[in-house]
């Protein structure tokens, strides 16, 4: 994971005067790197798990970094310190929340791993337009994070239950080996976002 975090920070094209919103404080590692690069006063980080957030706060304090740390659901962003120049999500998401687009200034960047219930992931870099939209592309390479809480897959349930619920068997035109390939898995996931493994 540290390799992916460092790569994402490079892709974020941070400049000295940028303010950043991070979703998923986790250990505080990426938060610390951004504090070092920008100064802690320009960094806001949100963590949904209060115990994880408390541990990260201790670690960051021991490194003498004092960013704005928020405990809550990062899918809603943090309007209190918006607008941000950059938003980085170090948890996987299925869709980009509209709140993130609203809270990043026009021309600012959003960098997030798009993931899903087939556990495929792609790194999306978007530029915010200022009209409620953002456009961008998937960057080369692979790697992903645990899904954001509200975007995690629901429990699969039992096969016997599906059959008694009337699920039909049919022949598939593409074999399951497509899921062995990272790109194949990601594209399959985009095609059938409601399917999980
Ligand atoms: C891969 S870790 C983050 C890595 C972190 N940036 C680091 O350097 O350690 C993902 C984190 O996202 C948090 N998370 C999951 N869903 C979230 C949400 N909806 N809002 C904020 N944080 C969330 C998890 O609790 C976890 O700590």
């Amino acid at each position: 994971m540290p390799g992916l975090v460092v790569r994402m920070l490079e892709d974020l094209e941070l400049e000295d005067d940028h303010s950043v919103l991070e979703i998923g404080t986790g250990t505080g590692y990426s938060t610390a790197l951004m504090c070092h690069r920008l100064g802690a006063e320009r960094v806001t980080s949100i963590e949904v798990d209060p115990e994880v957030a408390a541990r990260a706060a201790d670690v960051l304090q021991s490194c003498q970094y004092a960013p704005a740390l928020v405990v809550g659901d990062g899918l809603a962003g943090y309007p209190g310190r918006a607008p941000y120049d950059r938003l980085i999500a170090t948890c996987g998401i299925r869709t980009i929340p509209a709140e993130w687009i609203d809270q990043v200034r026009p021309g600012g960047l959003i960098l997030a791993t798009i993931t899903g219930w087939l556990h495929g992931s792609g790194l999306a870099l978007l530029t915010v337009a200022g009209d409620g939209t953002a456009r961008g592309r998937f960057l080369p390479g692979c790697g992903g994070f645990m899904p954001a809480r509200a975007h995690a897959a629901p429990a699969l349930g039992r096969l016997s239950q599906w059959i008694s619920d009337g699920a039909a068997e049919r022949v598939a035109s593409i074999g399951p080996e497509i899921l062995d390939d990272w790109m194949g898995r990601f594209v399959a996931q985009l095609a059938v976002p409601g399917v999980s493994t």
Side-chain angles (χ1 to χ4, degrees):
M1 186 199 66
L4 177 57
V5 164
V6 170
R7 184 249 156 112
M8 287 177 76
L9 291 179
E10 287 168 2
D11 290 332
L12 211 51
E13 296 174 11
L14 292 171
E15 292 174 15
D16 291 353
D17 60 348
H18 278 168
S19 62
V20 179
L21 175 62
E22 176 186 44
I23 316 299
T25 314
T27 61
Y29 172 67
S30 47
T31 320
L33 293 178
M34 290 191 286
C35 289
H36 182 75
R37 171 66 181 84
L38 301 170
E41 67 283 0
R42 297 185 185 281
V43 179
T44 305
S45 186
I46 310 180
E47 171 57 52
V48 74
D49 184 317
E51 285 180 22
V52 172
R55 271 200 304 274
D58 285 348
V59 170
L60 287 163
Q61 195 182 28
S62 71
C63 298
Q64 302 189 339
Y65 291 131
L69 297 176
V70 180
V71 180
D73 184 359
L75 296 177
Y78 186 66
R81 300 191 83 204
Y84 305 96
D85 297 292
R86 299 287 186 264
L87 186 151
I88 178 173
T90 57
C91 50
I93 49 165
R94 296 180 75 213
T95 53
I96 303 279
E99 289 88 340
W100 293 5
I101 297 174
D102 290 344
Q103 292 172 27
V104 172
R105 69 159 169 81
L109 300 180
I110 296 175
L111 181 62
T113 51
I114 305 296
T115 188
W117 297 348
L118 291 182
H119 312 293
S121 69
L123 189 56
L125 181 64
L126 306 177
T127 303
V128 171
D131 61 356
T133 67
R135 283 170 181 265
R137 63 195 173 93
F138 286 106
L139 302 179
C142 54
F145 297 108
M146 63 190 287
R149 276 217 184 148
H151 286 190
L156 269 179
R158 294 163 63 97
L159 186 59
S160 55
Q161 183 64 46
W162 303 350
I163 292 167
S164 69
D165 284 350
E169 237 180 73
R170 66 184 167 85
V171 177
S173 54
I174 300 175
E177 62 279 358
I178 188 88
L179 300 179
D180 295 335
D181 173 66
W182 170 78
M183 181 59 80
R185 181 175 283 268
F186 185 60
V187 171
Q189 179 179 271
L190 291 174
V192 285
V195 172
S196 61
T197 54

